């Protein structure tokens, strides 16, 4: 099982095997290079822990615990978890500032305790096997080598994936394998698994504007905390405000950028210009179409579940380039969810005249438009044909229920993502529309796509990715921002841009969100990539799950001027993933 995930961490392995328990750990040495080997034991050897992540306030917690009488044998942040558990039990979790997934075995009590950070920056999966064995790991593929694990496809996840482009919620594409959700802990005792939410991040907008200087001070503090390491900490830099602002605040010695030959998708020019103005080194990695497509099988393998976010492939190359020189990089994930950065957050402020039409009229127009091929005007009518809480399940909604019924070989309509969002919408009753969408996104999209691909694509190359925006102190401020500080009809991330304008050049602070653009739309119309997709659509696996004639029709429509590349890439990514884990 450790060998299966050895790509994550090459600096050593350790195991604890005793009676009913076996814990294993692969290490990426970042803090206390000499003394941080795991599993790590408490002073009396009763507690055993394996831990993935970083606790950025571990020095302050070490000082506090030392004053309470605890004796530390190492300088590693892992030991804080052991002593903190002895001192506070579960109340340790809200004291932690960082990203984490850890498992702690109590030898005397025979109890396993696992916990995951509030945003889900670090993944943790678990599976209760037929013989009663409980498996847990940072990656699902570790389960494949355990004799108690039976690999079976959970086909019920496919319709949800086709809507969301990722695998949402607790379930996975592997039957019996579940995610420990963000902000949850798990207890396994007396043969029973219990999971409990220990924290629920919530947006509660206030009325008082936050001065840009206050926002910058909180972000500056987070950037400094995220640089704590005994190795060099570098950074990623695109043309957008998120990574630019983190780079300006943290001032890493070097940064890394992805580029393409296609100018429309290339962010390397503004990234280079910003790096020069900040005095940091910048290395640009240009990705060719051939190597991009050749890497898709490896990307889908490392993701564990299919992911149709083409930016994952770009991240795969970006992390591989950085890993040649460093072990840790800072990145800008989380800014859009916390500060209102997605363009769809502008929707409530645009075409307000249309929203004043009677609901029955908008609903009828939307239903009629849903019978037409997708397009800008059609998409607008469909989207505005029903209330926000009935249509919004993320910033990249892909296929409608009608489209899935047409595409899937067998679909009974039980894969509507609204089943996952209903409780989230109910919990935000009375809030402004942007805050309500943000609440959906930090629970589904952020953990299921953004953070998962950040972890899997970085750890595929033994590199740790840190995300300073996703800090509990930053969130406390962002959650209280007034609605007007997030988005309007013209702009997103209003408060963040105002703060960034004090530090960044005006062009960088105001730059429109591009969302890590990838030229797949164009490449799909070129050989040999068209043929690669057509070949995948002609294989037996495609006919097992989809209606092949609909797949080929979709591809032909794109080749002749339509724009359905995201739907095509979604199906193609699933088929490539299926080959990696369930192919002959």
């Amino acid at each position: 099982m450790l060998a299966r995930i050895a790509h994550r961490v090459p600096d050593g392995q350790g195991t604890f095997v005793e009676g009913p328990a076996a814990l294993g750990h692969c290490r990426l040495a970042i803090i206390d290079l000499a003394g941080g080997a795991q599993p790590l034991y408490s002073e009396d050897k009763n507690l055993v822990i394996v831990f993935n992540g970083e606790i950025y306030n571990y020095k302050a917690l070490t000082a506090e615990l030392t004053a309470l009488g605890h004796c530390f044998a190492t300088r590693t942040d892992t030991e804080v978890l052991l002593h903190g558990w002895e001192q506070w039990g579960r109340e340790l979790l809200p004291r932690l500032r960082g990203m984490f997934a850890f498992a702690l075995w109590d030898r005397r009590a025979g109890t396993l305790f696992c916990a995951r950070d509030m945003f889900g920056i670090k993944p943790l999966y678990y599976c209760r096997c037929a013989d009663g064995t409980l498996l847990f790991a940072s990656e699902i593929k570790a389960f494949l080598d355990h004799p108690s694990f039976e690999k079976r496809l959970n086909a019920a996840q496919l319709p949800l994936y086709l809507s969301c482009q990722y695998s949402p919620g607790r379930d996975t594409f592997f039957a019996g394998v579940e995610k420990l959700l963000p902000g949850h802990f798990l207890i396994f005792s007396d043969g029973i698994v219990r999971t409990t939410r220990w924290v629920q991040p919530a947006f509660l907008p206030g009325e008082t504007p936050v001065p840009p200087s206050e926002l910058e001070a909180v972000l500056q503090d987070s950037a400094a905390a995220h640089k704590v390491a005994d190795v060099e900490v570098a950074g990623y830099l695109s043309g957008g405000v998120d990574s630019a602002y983190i780079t300006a605040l943290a001032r890493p010695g070097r940064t890394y950028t992805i580029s393409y030959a296609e100018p429309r998708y290339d962010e390397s020019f503004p990234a280079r210009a910003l790096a020069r103005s900040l005095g940091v080194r910048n290395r640009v990695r240009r990705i060719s179409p051939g190597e991009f497509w050749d890497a898709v099988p490896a990307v889908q393998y490392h993701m564990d579940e299919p992911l149709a976010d083409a930016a994952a492939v770009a991240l795969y190359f970006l992390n591989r380039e950085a890993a040649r020189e460093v072990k840790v990089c800072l990145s800008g994930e989380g800014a859009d969810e916390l500060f209102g950065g997605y363009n769809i957050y502008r929707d409530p402020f645009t075409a307000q005249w249309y929203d004043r039409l009677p609901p029955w009229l908008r609903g009828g127009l939307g239903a009629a438009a849903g019978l037409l091929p997708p397009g800008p005007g059609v998409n607008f009518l469909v989207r505005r044909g029903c209330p926000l809480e009935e249509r919004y399940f993320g910033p990249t909604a892909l296929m409608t229920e009608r489209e899935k019924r047409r595409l899937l070989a067998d679909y009974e309509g039980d894969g509507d993502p609204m089943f996952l969002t209903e409780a989230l919408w109910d919990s935000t009753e009375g809030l402004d529309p942007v805050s309500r969408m943000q609440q959906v996104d930090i629970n589904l999209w952020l953990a299921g796509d953004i953070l998962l691909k950040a972890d899997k694509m970085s750890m595929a190359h033994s590199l740790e990715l840190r995300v300073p925006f996703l800090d509990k102190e930053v969130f406390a401020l962002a959650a209280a921002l007034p609605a007007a500080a997030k988005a309007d009809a013209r702009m997103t991330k209003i408060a963040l841009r105002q703060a960034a304008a004090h530090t960044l050049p005006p062009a960088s602070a105001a730059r429109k969100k591009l969302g890590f653009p990838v030229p797949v739309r164009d490449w799909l119309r070129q050989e040999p990539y068209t043929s690669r997709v057509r070949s995948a659509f002609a294989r037996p696996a495609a006919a097992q799950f989809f209606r092949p004639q609909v797949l080929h029709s979709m591809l032909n429509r794109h080749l002749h001027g339509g724009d359905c590349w995201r739907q095509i890439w979604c199906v193609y990514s699933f088929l490539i993933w299926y080959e990696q884990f369930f192919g002959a």
Side-chain angles (χ1 to χ4, degrees):
M1 293 174 74
L2 288 174
R4 184 76 72 160
I5 61 169
H7 54 269
R8 291 181 69 91
V9 273
D11 294 335
Q13 294 186 2
T15 59
F16 166 85
V17 181
E18 179 185 81
L23 280 68
H25 185 265
C26 297
R27 188 184 184 211
L28 184 66
I30 304 294
I31 292 175
D32 192 0
L33 307 186
Q38 298 183 40
L40 196 65
Y41 301 81
S42 60
E43 290 177 84
D44 63 1
K45 307 299 182 186
N46 178 54
L47 302 178
V48 190
I49 193 169
V50 286
F51 162 51
N52 176 29
E54 301 290 348
I55 306 302
Y56 302 120
N57 63 335
Y58 79 99
K59 291 182 180 179
L61 289 173
T62 297
E64 183 178 358
L65 288 162
T66 299
L68 291 169
H70 293 264
C71 296
F72 283 75
T74 73
R75 295 186 297 104
T76 178
D77 54 342
T78 308
E79 194 172 358
V80 162
L81 301 177
L82 289 170
H83 292 289
W85 179 262
E86 291 175 321
Q87 183 68 37
W88 299 304
R90 299 175 198 173
E91 293 306 308
L92 163 69
L93 298 177
R95 295 171 179 266
L96 300 176
R97 183 181 189 181
M99 55 182 184
F100 57 86
F102 67 83
L104 189 150
W105 172 248
D106 186 318
R107 297 165 75 181
R108 284 193 293 268
T111 299
L112 181 75
F113 179 87
C114 301
R116 195 172 176 205
D117 66 71
M118 66 187 293
F119 297 111
I121 303 170
K122 286 298 177 183
L124 189 64
Y125 303 93
Y126 65 96
C127 175
R128 190 75 189 277
C129 301
D131 65 0
T133 301
L134 177 72
L135 304 177
F136 67 89
S138 296
E139 299 192 7
I140 298 173
K141 61 179 68 68
F143 300 159
L144 301 177
D145 295 296
H146 196 284
S148 296
F149 182 70
E150 180 185 358
K151 184 180 68 173
R152 292 180 294 114
L153 179 72
N154 175 21
Q157 201 71 358
L158 180 57
L160 289 169
Y161 162 80
L162 293 175
S163 290
C164 299
Q165 84 171 20
Y166 62 95
S167 173
R170 186 186 302 272
D171 294 334
T172 72
F173 270 89
F174 292 85
V177 176
E178 299 182 28
K179 306 154 191 159
L180 183 61
L181 293 176
H184 282 67
F185 63 75
L186 174 153
I187 297 176
F188 182 51
S189 180
D190 298 324
I192 299 173
V193 175
R194 299 180 179 87
T195 61
T196 304
R197 179 181 282 280
W198 66 268
V199 63
Q200 171 65 80
F203 290 93
L204 298 170
E207 300 293 333
T208 307
V210 176
S213 58
E214 181 179 342
L215 176 52
E216 176 150 316
V218 171
L219 286 168
Q220 180 73 68
D221 177 66
S222 179
H226 282 69
K227 287 190 72 177
V228 172
D230 293 336
V231 297
E232 180 184 356
V233 178
Y236 290 152
L237 189 57
S238 69
V241 65
D242 304 340
S243 64
Y245 198 18
I246 291 299
T247 299
L249 295 175
R251 298 297 173 109
R254 59 183 106 200
T255 57
Y256 301 88
T257 301
I258 284 297
S259 78
Y260 304 98
E262 293 81 358
R264 176 182 174 187
Y265 302 92
D266 188 15
E267 294 188 271
S268 62
F269 178 78
R272 279 180 172 139
L274 180 63
R276 283 195 299 269
S277 71
L278 296 177
V280 300
R281 284 179 289 173
N282 181 242
R283 180 188 292 274
V284 175
R285 173 64 160 86
R286 173 162 289 189
I287 306 176
S288 71
E291 62 182 349
F292 183 98
W293 286 80
D294 288 345
V296 174
V299 168
Q300 296 300 330
Y301 172 77
H302 282 291
M303 285 303 309
D304 278 334
E305 296 190 81
L307 180 73
D309 189 340
V313 186
L315 277 174
Y316 180 84
F317 285 100
L318 181 63
N319 284 287
R320 188 168 76 175
E321 187 67 26
R324 301 179 194 276
E325 299 177 321
V326 297
K327 284 186 175 183
V328 183
C329 278
L330 304 179
S331 191
E333 279 83 356
D336 291 316
E337 291 79 9
L338 266 61
F339 292 98
Y342 293 115
N343 286 322
I344 198 167
Y345 292 166
R346 296 167 50 237
D347 259 21
F349 310 102
T350 59
Q352 292 178 325
W353 60 270
Y354 188 81
D355 292 336
R356 287 193 287 269
L357 294 176
W360 63 265
L361 179 57
R362 285 186 281 113
L365 292 171
L371 303 175
L372 302 172
V378 169
N379 295 343
F380 171 85
L381 292 173
V382 171
R383 192 169 64 247
R384 294 298 179 95
C386 56
L388 184 66
E389 56 266 34
E390 293 182 16
R391 61 178 163 85
Y392 187 79
F393 52 87
T396 57
L398 274 182
M399 299 187 194
T400 65
E401 293 302 293
R402 177 177 172 271
E403 289 170 327
K404 288 188 290 187
R405 287 190 178 91
R406 181 169 176 262
L407 175 64
L408 287 165
D410 182 22
Y411 181 49
E412 297 180 357
D414 52 354
D416 189 336
M418 294 309 297
F419 297 145
L420 298 172
T421 60
E422 185 176 9
L424 294 170
W425 282 110
D426 290 345
S427 71
T428 60
E429 186 71 36
L431 296 185
D432 63 277
V434 174
S435 296
R436 303 190 79 181
M437 288 190 281
Q438 287 177 288
Q439 193 67 36
V440 170
D441 289 341
I442 63 167
N443 281 275
L444 292 174
W445 165 253
L446 179 63
D449 181 303
I450 298 295
L451 292 176
L452 196 65
K453 74 175 186 284
D455 174 84
K456 298 293 180 68
M457 294 300 94
S458 59
M459 297 306 280
H461 304 292
S462 307
L463 186 139
E464 181 175 277
L465 202 65
R466 298 182 176 183
V467 283
F469 282 114
L470 292 175
D471 173 77
K472 68 177 186 178
E473 304 300 333
V474 175
F475 181 77
L477 185 147
L481 285 175
K486 299 173 183 179
D488 59 23
R490 299 177 300 104
M491 188 182 297
T492 60
K493 286 185 289 206
I494 295 172
L496 184 67
R497 294 182 190 278
Q498 290 172 347
H502 287 229
T503 303
L504 294 175
S508 296
R511 193 174 305 280
K512 182 182 177 182
K513 179 175 177 59
L514 295 178
F516 219 145
V518 176
V520 172
R521 173 190 280 112
D522 298 346
W523 292 338
L524 275 170
R525 298 190 177 107
Q526 303 169 12
E527 290 293 351
Y529 315 115
T530 303
S531 293
R532 287 198 188 193
V533 175
R534 199 176 295 281
S535 174
F537 286 179
R539 292 172 198 157
Q544 179 181 348
F545 300 102
F546 307 101
R547 293 189 171 98
Q549 69 273 21
V550 177
L551 293 179
H552 291 290
S553 173
M554 192 161 55
L555 180 57
N556 290 334
R557 189 163 69 247
H558 186 77
L559 292 175
H560 292 93
D563 188 11
C564 43
W565 76 269
R566 291 174 59 225
Q567 290 83 355
I568 294 168
W569 185 256
C570 187
V571 173
Y572 179 74
S573 297
F574 168 79
L575 294 172
I576 297 300
W577 169 85
Y578 186 80
E579 287 180 359
Q580 307 309 303
F581 288 97
F582 292 93

